[in-house]
């Protein structure tokens, strides 16, 4: 019998189960993507659904005051440990625990698809100052690279990332529907793509797959078998051992819009 697919709430809540690994393994978007999403000379910025603080950690050098809102207690504990000087709060995109018009920018990294956008969009607009910037980014292993696509395609539904052209289209449709409606408090969306590479090993890359919700929620034996297959396939694809280093390509899909 096939394993039933987890529900969206289950998937959204799954990351706390691997909070330490998430904080250790998930890479932040490239610096260029972060700078592109932020407004000029920001004073206060909110990292919304901040997770384990992977992106949040790159904001203090750019912003006077960093706020981080994250609903999961386990993820928030990792975040607070990494950034003791940040304003870290429990909350959601639909109920942000900040006053009106208090930030110049809101950044959402790899989390927008979990939001109830009908409630989240006006709530984000509420905390942004007029003219403030909303930046949204998804960052993942770059399947536009041939060998990555071969490897990921061979892993089936738990391969991690969908094909790049489909991912851009789906993300863009999701955002346009929520942010470019006639009554939207935001202006037109701008889109950019940023690529980079990071040194990794097959063992680390396979562990990274284990931080995605579809893999987290597999039954334990199935999850371990899947990750073992992924490791063997990656070593074979690259012709290296599990602990040998290589350049792992990443692709950040970024959008930005301005509060009217």
């Amino acid at each position: 019998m096939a394993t039933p697919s987890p529900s969206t709430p289950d998937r959204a809540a799954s990351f706390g189960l691997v909070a330490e690994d998430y904080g250790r393994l998930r890479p932040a978007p490239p610096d260029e993507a972060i700078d592109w999403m932020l407004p000029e000379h920001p004073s206060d910025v909110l990292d919304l659904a901040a997770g384990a603080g992977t992106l949040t950690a790159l904001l203090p050098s750019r912003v006077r005051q960093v706020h981080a809102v994250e609903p999961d207690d386990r993820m928030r504990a990792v975040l607070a440990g990494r950034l003791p000087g940040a304003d870290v709060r429990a909350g959601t995109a639909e109920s942000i625990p900040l006053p009106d018009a208090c930030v110049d920018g809101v950044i959402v990294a790899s989390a927008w698809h979990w939001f109830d956008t009908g409630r989240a969009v006006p709530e984000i607009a509420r905390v942004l100052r007029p003219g403030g910037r909303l930046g949204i980014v998804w960052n993942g292993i770059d399947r536009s690279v041939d060998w990555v696509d071969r490897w990921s395609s061979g892993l089936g539904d738990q391969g991690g990332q969908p094909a790049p052209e489909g991912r851009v289209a789906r993300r863009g449709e999701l955002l346009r529907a929520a942010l470019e409606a006639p009554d939207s408090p935001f202006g037109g969306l701008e889109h950019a793509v940023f690529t980079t590479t990071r040194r990794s090993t097959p063992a680390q890359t396979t562990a990274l797959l284990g931080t995605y919700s579809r893999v987290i929620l597999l039954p334990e034996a199935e999850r371990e078998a899947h990750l073992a297959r992924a490791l063997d396939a990656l070593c074979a694809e690259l012709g290296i051992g599990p602990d040998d280093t290589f350049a792992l390509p990443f692709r950040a899909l970024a959008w930005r819009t301005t509060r009217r």
Side-chain angles (χ1 to χ4, degrees):
M1 181 180 296
T3 302
S5 298
S7 67
T8 296
D10 287 341
R11 289 179 58 196
S14 68
F15 301 106
L17 299 170
V18 295
E20 292 288 346
D21 286 345
Y22 195 105
R24 178 172 58 89
L25 295 166
R26 284 284 186 112
D31 287 338
E32 295 83 358
I34 297 171
D35 292 335
W36 183 81
M37 289 186 292
L38 289 173
E40 291 187 13
H41 312 300
S43 175
D44 299 78
V45 168
L46 166 63
D47 187 358
L48 182 58
T54 301
L55 187 151
T56 325
L58 300 181
L59 294 178
S61 63
R62 295 170 162 86
V63 180
R64 179 184 61 82
Q65 177 63 59
V66 177
H67 308 275
V69 169
E70 164 57 38
D72 190 283
D73 294 344
R74 298 156 295 183
M75 296 284 273
R76 200 169 57 251
V78 174
L79 191 164
R82 294 172 75 174
L83 292 168
D87 172 29
V88 180
R89 305 188 186 200
T92 67
E94 298 79 16
S95 181
I96 301 171
L98 291 174
D100 295 354
C102 66
V103 296
D104 303 306
V106 174
I107 301 292
V108 180
S110 298
W112 185 270
H113 49 293
W114 305 122
F115 295 173
D116 175 350
T117 54
R119 297 165 57 207
V121 169
E123 184 68 351
I124 292 168
R126 180 186 66 78
V127 301
L128 271 171
R129 296 175 180 130
R133 176 77 56 75
L134 168 62
I136 301 160
V137 62
W138 282 273
N139 188 49
I141 298 173
D142 188 357
R143 279 193 63 178
S144 69
V145 177
D146 287 344
W147 74 259
V148 177
D149 189 51
R150 285 195 303 272
W151 172 62
S152 190
S153 296
L155 300 179
D157 291 341
Q158 280 75 47
Q161 302 292 332
E165 60 278 1
R167 192 161 80 239
V168 173
R170 283 195 293 276
R171 301 310 194 204
E173 290 169 4
L174 184 73
L175 292 170
R176 283 191 293 274
L179 296 169
E180 291 188 340
D183 59 348
S184 173
F186 292 96
L189 280 166
E190 298 177 82
H191 173 51
V193 177
F194 302 87
T195 59
T196 190
T197 61
R198 300 180 187 275
R199 301 304 297 177
S200 186
T201 68
Q204 291 167 342
T205 303
T206 302
L208 172 61
L209 292 186
T211 68
Y212 287 95
S213 59
R214 283 189 174 89
V215 179
I216 295 169
L217 292 175
L218 289 173
E220 183 177 1
E222 188 176 342
R223 182 174 65 252
E224 291 178 357
H226 170 74
L227 294 176
R229 287 194 302 271
L231 178 59
D232 289 344
L234 184 55
C235 290
E237 176 67 44
L238 297 174
I240 61 176
D243 297 318
D244 294 331
T245 61
F246 69 100
L248 180 61
F250 285 89
R251 182 180 179 93
L253 309 176
W255 284 263
R256 67 183 184 186
T257 183
T258 300
R259 172 76 162 92
R260 296 186 193 277

